[in-house]
Amino acid sequence: MTATGIGARATVARLGAALRGSLGAYGTLTGLWVLLRAGTLAVGLLFQHLFDRIGDRGVWLLIAWVAAVEAARLCLQFGVMINRLEPRVQYGTTARLRRALLREALRRPGATARTAPGEALRAVGEDVDETGFFVAWSPTNLAHWLFVVASVTVMMRIDALVTTALLVLLVLVTAVTGTVHGRFLGYRRATRTASAQVAGALREAIDAVKAVQAAGAEDHVAAHIGRLNEARGRAAVREELFAGVQNTVIANAAPVGIGVVLLLTSTLAHRGAFSVGDLALFTFYLQILAEALASIGMLSVRLQRVSVALGRITEFLGGRKPEAADEARVVGGEPAGRACVDGDAEDEDSAERQVADGQRSSMACADRAGAPAAKIPARSALRELTVRGLTARYPGAERGIEDVDLTVVRGSVTVITGAVGAGKTTLLRSLLGLLPRQRGTVRWNGEPVTDPSAFLVAPRCGYTPQAPRLFSGSLRDNVLLGERDDDGRLFTRAAHTAVLGPDLAAMQDGPETVVGPRGLRLSGGQLQRAAIARMLARRPELLILDDVSSALDPDTEQLLWARLLDGTATVLAVSHRPTLLRAAERVLVLRDGRVDAEGTLEDVLAESAQMRRLWTKEQR
């Protein structure tokens, strides 16, 4: 089998997978479009008889039949198909695909590392929209094919020469339309790419406005954005030009065809070999034929586009079909819980930052389904979490962690510390399944956890990174993220533990204060504490914290740890703060991705020269 055939089969298989859940509506929509085109065919035949019998007594009956068929077609098309079935097929497909992609990003955030951030956004946006549009548009195209065959058969029986001439004309129109449409789509992609570049440059300029001002580079940045905007304008003009040419060709195909019919049938009409009814039938069918052939001409272009789109979606899903990723999975017989996971890594090295930027879409506390994690009971309370031989590296980077052993006992406080770049964040992310591990095991109460990204979620585990992100909404909404809190006590308890009380009192709108895009209206310390409150609202047994007090003043930091370390939760934290190190039952010192020392604070100070340097620095 040729590569083209294999690619076509793969595309069809992926379309079938994407349609799962809407197959009934899709089949009904296809059948109704075929019925609608059959009605169009019948109207043409009625017109033929009507114009041939003008003046006869039965003409009114024919007019009534035409009116009835047209009324039925209009009611069917606009009352059922366009208003109900097409949106159900199109938006049902896009919703399922986006759920599958989002679930993949949340369950396996390493999926976002397989693709660049722009490509991931394109898969979720452009590619999903293209697939949804194609599955809703394809029934129309199938019905067009059937109409073309049937109508050409009818016209051939009336006059083969005239029909052949019209077909040649319409095939030329189809070829031109297909070529122009391909160019139009190319410029459309160029326009979208240019628009994305402009938006990206604006976002970067706004995020780095202080750096731009400090460097006195305002004019250079503005000129760069201006050049990108000019490129976008040129691409947009070309897109509109080819869109206009395409629409003009399609709009004038039928009138030109009618002119050809009149020229070729003038002699036949004088001899009575071509009646007025035949002319009416040809004229009526030409309108639909021009539209149908133009649509068929676009089919190859759209198939190519949807093939590429489905390929990118499948790549994002790790090679699995969309419906496989969209199936609801359970952990220990119950739905997976909610994760409180943000995608930013500690600012340890450039490799970690690059991957973290690509994983920000995994930010969250959203529902995450997961694969079964061994045979651990769904509500098995934590007694001990053990990690053995854990090894993980960021894609394309040499640095990471290697052969790390770690034990966290219920009710204990365990602190991971080390210099910048030692691998502290890498350890947490690989433990949580946010970074694929090369080897090593994670066990919950002695049972292996095969998919940590699905198992280590609330209410078992909560995670807050050093640089968390919030959504554009109220502080309350960011903390609760869909959790029910009818009496407000859940928010109040979480905010109290996270030491947000004084901040809420100072805010004019209190908990309803809008935090702005990504929490930009909050200070660094407020943002960290809001993320901690968001984690606490899920009431997890194990708290995993990545240097979450780095932006706090000493008094607030001391109060925060006093409330977090009240003995009700198990804590695993990355920190070098003396307050937390003194409270820890166990300290793990990392150096270049390996365990340098482990034990109590006194043990690691005696064993590790690096720990003594860090401790001395913090004491100063």
Side-chain angles (χ1 to χ4, degrees):
M1 183 178 292
T2 63
T4 303
I6 294 173
R9 288 185 60 184
T11 300
V12 171
R14 289 167 180 171
L15 281 172
L19 269 171
R20 182 162 297 186
S22 296
L23 285 175
Y26 182 82
T28 303
L29 181 63
T30 303
L32 290 178
W33 269 114
V34 172
L35 181 62
L36 201 71
R37 289 307 171 207
T40 304
L41 199 71
V43 169
L45 293 171
L46 288 172
F47 273 146
Q48 182 187 34
H49 291 291
L50 173 64
F51 282 94
D52 281 341
R53 296 182 182 180
I54 289 179
D56 292 352
R57 294 180 62 183
V59 69
W60 292 107
L61 180 60
L62 290 171
I63 291 174
W65 272 109
V66 170
V69 173
E70 283 297 290
R73 287 177 62 247
L74 289 174
C75 291
L76 189 63
Q77 183 173 357
F78 294 100
V80 177
M81 297 161 65
I82 292 179
N83 284 348
R84 295 175 181 271
L85 289 177
E86 281 191 356
R88 182 177 173 183
V89 171
Q90 179 173 352
Y91 298 116
T93 300
T94 56
R96 280 192 304 278
L97 287 175
R98 286 199 172 101
R99 278 199 304 270
L101 291 168
L102 181 59
R103 183 175 287 114
E104 182 72 5
L106 293 174
R107 282 189 65 250
R108 304 178 187 277
T112 55
R114 290 195 294 264
T115 55
E119 290 299 315
L121 290 174
R122 177 175 287 186
V124 175
E126 231 177 272
D127 294 336
V128 168
D129 287 337
E130 179 66 33
T131 304
F133 177 81
F134 184 86
V135 297
W137 174 77
S138 57
T140 312
N141 201 269
L142 177 60
H144 277 154
W145 274 100
L146 297 176
F147 175 80
V148 168
V149 173
S151 61
V152 168
T153 301
V154 172
M155 294 165 69
M156 279 287 188
R157 295 180 64 181
I158 296 172
D159 194 296
L161 178 62
V162 176
T163 303
T164 302
L166 286 176
L167 284 177
V168 171
L169 172 65
L170 292 177
V171 167
L172 288 174
V173 169
T174 301
V176 172
T177 303
T179 302
V180 172
H181 188 65
R183 297 290 297 275
F184 161 73
L185 291 178
Y187 285 120
R188 187 181 184 187
R189 286 193 292 271
T191 302
R192 290 187 176 184
T193 300
S195 298
Q197 290 175 343
V198 172
L202 285 170
R203 183 178 61 187
E204 290 175 355
I206 292 172
D207 289 344
V209 62
K210 292 182 179 179
V212 172
Q213 291 175 339
E218 294 93 334
D219 293 339
H220 295 291
V221 172
H224 173 65
I225 295 174
R227 287 191 295 270
L228 292 177
N229 203 38
E230 289 173 4
R232 178 177 64 173
R234 288 192 295 269
V237 168
R238 294 189 181 99
E239 177 189 346
E240 289 299 320
L241 172 63
F242 280 92
V245 171
Q246 175 180 298
N247 292 333
T248 301
V249 171
I250 294 173
N252 288 287
V256 171
I258 292 171
V260 170
V261 171
L262 290 173
L263 286 174
L264 294 177
T265 60
S266 57
T267 305
L268 296 174
H270 281 296
R271 298 201 307 264
F274 199 88
S275 68
V276 176
D278 296 335
L279 179 62
L281 180 143
F282 270 67
T283 302
F284 182 73
Y285 281 178
L286 265 175
Q287 303 286 340
I288 313 300
L289 272 174
E291 175 189 339
L293 288 175
S295 176
I296 292 169
M298 296 176 190
L299 178 62
S300 62
V301 178
R302 289 208 170 275
L303 270 174
Q304 292 174 7
R305 290 194 69 191
V306 79
S307 177
V308 172
L310 285 168
R312 281 198 290 249
I313 290 172
T314 304
E315 180 183 356
F316 189 97
L317 294 172
R320 292 175 292 121
K321 292 180 181 178
E323 92 284 358
D326 192 45
E327 291 173 353
R329 295 176 184 169
V330 296
V331 177
E334 295 190 7
R338 290 188 174 178
C340 192
V341 179
D342 288 81
D344 290 283
E346 178 187 356
D347 191 11
E348 292 190 347
D349 55 60
S350 59
E352 292 189 5
R353 285 198 301 272
Q354 289 173 356
V355 176
D357 289 340
Q359 293 180 341
R360 284 175 182 165
S361 61
S362 65
M363 180 177 62
C365 294
D367 290 334
R368 292 200 314 191
K375 295 182 180 179
I376 307 173
R379 300 189 182 279
S380 175
L382 172 66
R383 298 192 305 273
E384 183 179 83
L385 178 72
T386 56
V387 178
R388 293 292 179 265
L390 190 60
T391 299
R393 291 182 179 83
Y394 283 94
E398 293 296 327
R399 304 183 70 175
I401 58 169
E402 188 166 355
D403 293 329
V404 174
D405 294 341
L406 175 66
T407 300
V408 178
V409 180
R410 183 179 183 85
S412 67
V413 178
T414 304
V415 177
I416 302 168
T417 191
V420 173
K424 303 184 294 293
T425 292
T426 305
L427 172 56
L428 293 188
R429 293 179 67 81
S430 57
L431 167 63
L432 290 166
L434 305 180
L435 177 68
R437 63 178 186 265
Q438 276 70 53
R439 62 178 180 272
T441 60
V442 178
R443 293 179 179 271
W444 181 276
N445 298 339
E447 296 291 340
V449 178
T450 57
D451 189 356
S453 67
F455 186 82
L456 294 178
V457 296
R460 299 183 191 91
C461 176
Y463 168 55
T464 301
Q466 179 183 2
R469 297 298 179 112
L470 301 184
F471 294 102
S472 298
S474 70
L475 189 57
R476 182 191 299 276
D477 290 341
N478 271 281
V479 170
L480 296 176
L481 278 182
E483 289 288 317
R484 293 197 61 178
D485 186 26
D486 297 332
D487 57 8
R489 281 189 282 183
L490 180 62
F491 174 83
T492 301
R493 284 197 300 267
H496 171 75
T497 306
V499 199
L500 278 173
D503 302 88
L504 290 170
M507 295 176 181
Q508 184 175 356
D509 297 325
E512 306 306 323
T513 299
V514 177
V515 302
R518 294 184 291 179
L520 290 177
R521 294 183 182 177
L522 302 181
S523 68
Q526 289 173 332
L527 198 153
Q528 285 182 330
R529 283 175 287 141
I532 293 172
R534 178 172 64 189
M535 175 187 66
L536 295 173
R538 271 82 201 152
R539 298 178 288 272
E541 293 184 72
L542 173 62
L543 307 182
I544 297 184
L545 308 160
D546 190 355
D547 203 5
V548 294
S549 61
S550 58
L552 302 183
D553 63 82
D555 293 337
T556 303
E557 180 185 26
Q558 187 171 1
L559 182 57
L560 172 67
W561 287 119
R563 292 178 180 177
L564 288 174
L565 306 181
D566 62 355
T568 60
T570 308
V571 176
L572 173 62
V574 164
S575 182
H576 47 77
R577 302 291 190 178
T579 302
L580 188 55
L581 288 168
R582 290 192 184 99
E585 283 91 349
R586 198 161 196 82
V587 178
L588 188 76
V589 183
L590 291 184
R591 181 177 181 182
D592 296 329
R594 291 178 174 272
V595 177
D596 186 53
E598 182 181 6
T600 64
L601 177 60
E602 291 75 15
D603 292 338
V604 296
L605 284 172
E607 184 179 346
S608 171
Q610 177 179 252
M611 184 62 198
R612 289 193 293 274
R613 287 193 296 271
L614 290 171
W615 182 257
T616 301
K617 180 180 178 181
E618 285 301 315
Q619 292 293 81
R620 289 174 181 172

